[in-house]
PDB file of all heavy atoms in Angstrom:
ATOM      1  N   ARG A 104       9.306 -33.769 -49.232  1.00 96.00           N
ATOM      2  CA  ARG A 104       9.612 -34.009 -47.816  1.00 96.00           C
ATOM      3  C   ARG A 104      10.103 -35.444 -47.593  1.00 96.00           C
ATOM      4  O   ARG A 104      10.170 -35.900 -46.460  1.00 96.00           O
ATOM      5  CB  ARG A 104       8.362 -33.740 -46.966  1.00 96.00           C
ATOM      6  CG  ARG A 104       7.974 -32.269 -46.971  1.00 96.00           C
ATOM      7  CD  ARG A 104       6.694 -31.957 -46.215  1.00 96.00           C
ATOM      8  NE  ARG A 104       6.628 -32.557 -44.901  1.00 96.00           N
ATOM      9  CZ  ARG A 104       5.493 -32.965 -44.332  1.00 96.00           C
ATOM     10  NH1 ARG A 104       4.345 -32.843 -44.965  1.00 96.00           N
ATOM     11  NH2 ARG A 104       5.510 -33.497 -43.140  1.00 96.00           N
ATOM     12  N   ASP A 105      10.417 -36.157 -48.673  1.00 95.00           N
ATOM     13  CA  ASP A 105      10.877 -37.548 -48.618  1.00 95.00           C
ATOM     14  C   ASP A 105       9.847 -38.464 -47.969  1.00 95.00           C
ATOM     15  O   ASP A 105      10.200 -39.410 -47.263  1.00 95.00           O
ATOM     16  CB  ASP A 105      12.232 -37.665 -47.905  1.00 95.00           C
ATOM     17  CG  ASP A 105      13.342 -36.968 -48.660  1.00 95.00           C
ATOM     18  OD1 ASP A 105      13.310 -36.996 -49.906  1.00 95.00           O
ATOM     19  OD2 ASP A 105      14.233 -36.402 -48.012  1.00 95.00           O
ATOM     20  N   LEU A 106       8.579 -38.187 -48.211  1.00 96.00           N
ATOM     21  CA  LEU A 106       7.479 -39.029 -47.744  1.00 96.00           C
ATOM     22  C   LEU A 106       6.990 -39.828 -48.951  1.00 96.00           C
ATOM     23  O   LEU A 106       6.382 -39.283 -49.867  1.00 96.00           O
ATOM     24  CB  LEU A 106       6.341 -38.181 -47.164  1.00 96.00           C
ATOM     25  CG  LEU A 106       6.733 -37.257 -46.008  1.00 96.00           C
ATOM     26  CD1 LEU A 106       5.548 -36.382 -45.609  1.00 96.00           C
ATOM     27  CD2 LEU A 106       7.258 -38.044 -44.830  1.00 96.00           C
ATOM     28  N   ILE A 107       7.292 -41.114 -48.960  1.00 96.00           N
ATOM     29  CA  ILE A 107       7.070 -41.968 -50.125  1.00 96.00           C
ATOM     30  C   ILE A 107       5.877 -42.895 -49.872  1.00 96.00           C
ATOM     31  O   ILE A 107       5.809 -43.573 -48.846  1.00 96.00           O
ATOM     32  CB  ILE A 107       8.339 -42.812 -50.417  1.00 96.00           C
ATOM     33  CG1 ILE A 107       9.557 -41.914 -50.585  1.00 96.00           C
ATOM     34  CG2 ILE A 107       8.127 -43.702 -51.630  1.00 96.00           C
ATOM     35  CD1 ILE A 107       9.481 -40.921 -51.715  1.00 96.00           C
ATOM     36  N   SER A 108       4.972 -42.944 -50.839  1.00 95.00           N
ATOM     37  CA  SER A 108       3.766 -43.758 -50.720  1.00 95.00           C
ATOM     38  C   SER A 108       4.094 -45.239 -50.556  1.00 95.00           C
ATOM     39  O   SER A 108       4.991 -45.767 -51.214  1.00 95.00           O
ATOM     40  CB  SER A 108       2.893 -43.576 -51.961  1.00 95.00           C
ATOM     41  OG  SER A 108       1.836 -44.513 -51.976  1.00 95.00           O
ATOM     42  N   VAL A 109       3.334 -45.884 -49.722  1.00 95.00           N
ATOM     43  CA  VAL A 109       3.458 -47.330 -49.532  1.00 95.00           C
ATOM     44  C   VAL A 109       3.150 -48.084 -50.829  1.00 95.00           C
ATOM     45  O   VAL A 109       3.555 -49.226 -50.987  1.00 95.00           O
ATOM     46  CB  VAL A 109       2.557 -47.816 -48.369  1.00 95.00           C
ATOM     47  CG1 VAL A 109       1.080 -47.671 -48.729  1.00 95.00           C
ATOM     48  CG2 VAL A 109       2.875 -49.235 -47.963  1.00 95.00           C
ATOM     49  N   LEU A 110       2.486 -47.435 -51.770  1.00 95.00           N
ATOM     50  CA  LEU A 110       2.137 -48.090 -53.023  1.00 95.00           C
ATOM     51  C   LEU A 110       3.284 -48.122 -54.036  1.00 95.00           C
ATOM     52  O   LEU A 110       3.187 -48.819 -55.041  1.00 95.00           O
ATOM     53  CB  LEU A 110       0.929 -47.393 -53.665  1.00 95.00           C
ATOM     54  CG  LEU A 110      -0.379 -47.472 -52.873  1.00 95.00           C
ATOM     55  CD1 LEU A 110      -1.473 -46.693 -53.585  1.00 95.00           C
ATOM     56  CD2 LEU A 110      -0.795 -48.917 -52.645  1.00 95.00           C
ATOM     57  N   LEU A 111       4.369 -47.399 -53.787  1.00 95.00           N
ATOM     58  CA  LEU A 111       5.490 -47.412 -54.723  1.00 95.00           C
ATOM     59  C   LEU A 111       6.278 -48.715 -54.603  1.00 95.00           C
ATOM     60  O   LEU A 111       6.356 -49.311 -53.522  1.00 95.00           O
ATOM     61  CB  LEU A 111       6.409 -46.220 -54.471  1.00 95.00           C
ATOM     62  CG  LEU A 111       5.808 -44.855 -54.806  1.00 95.00           C
ATOM     63  CD1 LEU A 111       6.818 -43.753 -54.518  1.00 95.00           C
ATOM     64  CD2 LEU A 111       5.372 -44.796 -56.257  1.00 95.00           C
ATOM     65  N   PRO A 112       6.881 -49.149 -55.694  1.00 95.00           N
ATOM     66  CA  PRO A 112       7.609 -50.425 -55.680  1.00 95.00           C
ATOM     67  C   PRO A 112       8.685 -50.523 -54.597  1.00 95.00           C
ATOM     68  O   PRO A 112       8.827 -51.572 -53.961  1.00 95.00           O
ATOM     69  CB  PRO A 112       8.226 -50.498 -57.080  1.00 95.00           C
ATOM     70  CG  PRO A 112       7.300 -49.709 -57.934  1.00 95.00           C
ATOM     71  CD  PRO A 112       6.826 -48.581 -57.054  1.00 95.00           C
ATOM     72  N   VAL A 113       9.421 -49.440 -54.338  1.00 96.00           N
ATOM     73  CA  VAL A 113      10.456 -49.496 -53.310  1.00 96.00           C
ATOM     74  C   VAL A 113       9.843 -49.746 -51.936  1.00 96.00           C
ATOM     75  O   VAL A 113      10.361 -50.530 -51.139  1.00 96.00           O
ATOM     76  CB  VAL A 113      11.346 -48.230 -53.318  1.00 96.00           C
ATOM     77  CG1 VAL A 113      10.550 -46.966 -53.006  1.00 96.00           C
ATOM     78  CG2 VAL A 113      12.510 -48.374 -52.340  1.00 96.00           C
ATOM     79  N   SER A 114       8.729 -49.101 -51.636  1.00 96.00           N
ATOM     80  CA  SER A 114       8.068 -49.297 -50.342  1.00 96.00           C
ATOM     81  C   SER A 114       7.558 -50.721 -50.203  1.00 96.00           C
ATOM     82  O   SER A 114       7.725 -51.359 -49.157  1.00 96.00           O
ATOM     83  CB  SER A 114       6.903 -48.313 -50.178  1.00 96.00           C
ATOM     84  OG  SER A 114       7.364 -46.984 -50.193  1.00 96.00           O
ATOM     85  N   LEU A 115       6.932 -51.223 -51.256  1.00 95.00           N
ATOM     86  CA  LEU A 115       6.414 -52.590 -51.218  1.00 95.00           C
ATOM     87  C   LEU A 115       7.538 -53.613 -51.082  1.00 95.00           C
ATOM     88  O   LEU A 115       7.357 -54.659 -50.467  1.00 95.00           O
ATOM     89  CB  LEU A 115       5.568 -52.862 -52.464  1.00 95.00           C
ATOM     90  CG  LEU A 115       4.274 -52.046 -52.545  1.00 95.00           C
ATOM     91  CD1 LEU A 115       3.650 -52.166 -53.926  1.00 95.00           C
ATOM     92  CD2 LEU A 115       3.293 -52.458 -51.457  1.00 95.00           C
ATOM     93  N   ALA A 116       8.713 -53.289 -51.622  1.00 95.00           N
ATOM     94  CA  ALA A 116       9.845 -54.218 -51.538  1.00 95.00           C
ATOM     95  C   ALA A 116      10.434 -54.296 -50.139  1.00 95.00           C
ATOM     96  O   ALA A 116      10.947 -55.345 -49.733  1.00 95.00           O
ATOM     97  CB  ALA A 116      10.938 -53.797 -52.523  1.00 95.00           C
ATOM     98  N   ILE A 117      10.354 -53.212 -49.374  1.00 96.00           N
ATOM     99  CA  ILE A 117      11.017 -53.203 -48.062  1.00 96.00           C
ATOM    100  C   ILE A 117      10.068 -53.365 -46.891  1.00 96.00           C
ATOM    101  O   ILE A 117      10.512 -53.674 -45.786  1.00 96.00           O
ATOM    102  CB  ILE A 117      11.875 -51.933 -47.867  1.00 96.00           C
ATOM    103  CG1 ILE A 117      11.006 -50.687 -47.764  1.00 96.00           C
ATOM    104  CG2 ILE A 117      12.913 -51.806 -48.963  1.00 96.00           C
ATOM    105  CD1 ILE A 117      11.769 -49.444 -47.348  1.00 96.00           C
ATOM    106  N   LEU A 118       8.783 -53.173 -47.097  1.00 95.00           N
ATOM    107  CA  LEU A 118       7.825 -53.237 -45.993  1.00 95.00           C
ATOM    108  C   LEU A 118       7.878 -54.596 -45.305  1.00 95.00           C
ATOM    109  O   LEU A 118       7.785 -55.641 -45.948  1.00 95.00           O
ATOM    110  CB  LEU A 118       6.416 -52.964 -46.522  1.00 95.00           C
ATOM    111  CG  LEU A 118       5.364 -52.614 -45.487  1.00 95.00           C
ATOM    112  CD1 LEU A 118       5.750 -51.333 -44.739  1.00 95.00           C
ATOM    113  CD2 LEU A 118       4.019 -52.433 -46.146  1.00 95.00           C
ATOM    114  N   GLY A 119       8.069 -54.584 -44.003  1.00 93.00           N
ATOM    115  CA  GLY A 119       8.123 -55.818 -43.225  1.00 93.00           C
ATOM    116  C   GLY A 119       9.479 -56.496 -43.224  1.00 93.00           C
ATOM    117  O   GLY A 119       9.655 -57.537 -42.600  1.00 93.00           O
ATOM    118  N   ARG A 120      10.444 -55.914 -43.914  1.00 93.00           N
ATOM    119  CA  ARG A 120      11.785 -56.510 -43.993  1.00 93.00           C
ATOM    120  C   ARG A 120      12.681 -55.990 -42.878  1.00 93.00           C
ATOM    121  O   ARG A 120      12.464 -54.933 -42.324  1.00 93.00           O
ATOM    122  CB  ARG A 120      12.427 -56.211 -45.354  1.00 93.00           C
ATOM    123  CG  ARG A 120      11.643 -56.724 -46.534  1.00 93.00           C
ATOM    124  CD  ARG A 120      11.625 -58.212 -46.542  1.00 93.00           C
ATOM    125  NE  ARG A 120      10.846 -58.720 -47.661  1.00 93.00           N
ATOM    126  CZ  ARG A 120      10.662 -59.974 -47.883  1.00 93.00           C
ATOM    127  NH1 ARG A 120      11.168 -60.896 -47.096  1.00 93.00           N
ATOM    128  NH2 ARG A 120       9.945 -60.370 -48.906  1.00 93.00           N
ATOM    129  N   ARG A 121      13.716 -56.740 -42.601  1.00 92.00           N
ATOM    130  CA  ARG A 121      14.622 -56.461 -41.487  1.00 92.00           C
ATOM    131  C   ARG A 121      15.813 -55.608 -41.939  1.00 92.00           C
ATOM    132  O   ARG A 121      16.290 -55.726 -43.057  1.00 92.00           O
ATOM    133  CB  ARG A 121      15.124 -57.787 -40.925  1.00 92.00           C
ATOM    134  CG  ARG A 121      15.914 -57.638 -39.684  1.00 92.00           C
ATOM    135  CD  ARG A 121      16.355 -58.994 -39.137  1.00 92.00           C
ATOM    136  NE  ARG A 121      16.678 -58.782 -37.754  1.00 92.00           N
ATOM    137  CZ  ARG A 121      16.088 -59.369 -36.746  1.00 92.00           C
ATOM    138  NH1 ARG A 121      15.165 -60.268 -36.949  1.00 92.00           N
ATOM    139  NH2 ARG A 121      16.438 -59.093 -35.515  1.00 92.00           N
TER     140      ARG A 121
END
Side-chain angles (χ1 to χ4, degrees):
R104 293 176 48 212
D105 295 324
L106 303 175
I107 305 299
S108 170
V109 67
L110 296 177
L111 292 180
V113 62
S114 298
L115 294 168
I117 68 171
L118 196 61
R120 301 293 179 181
R121 187 178 200 119

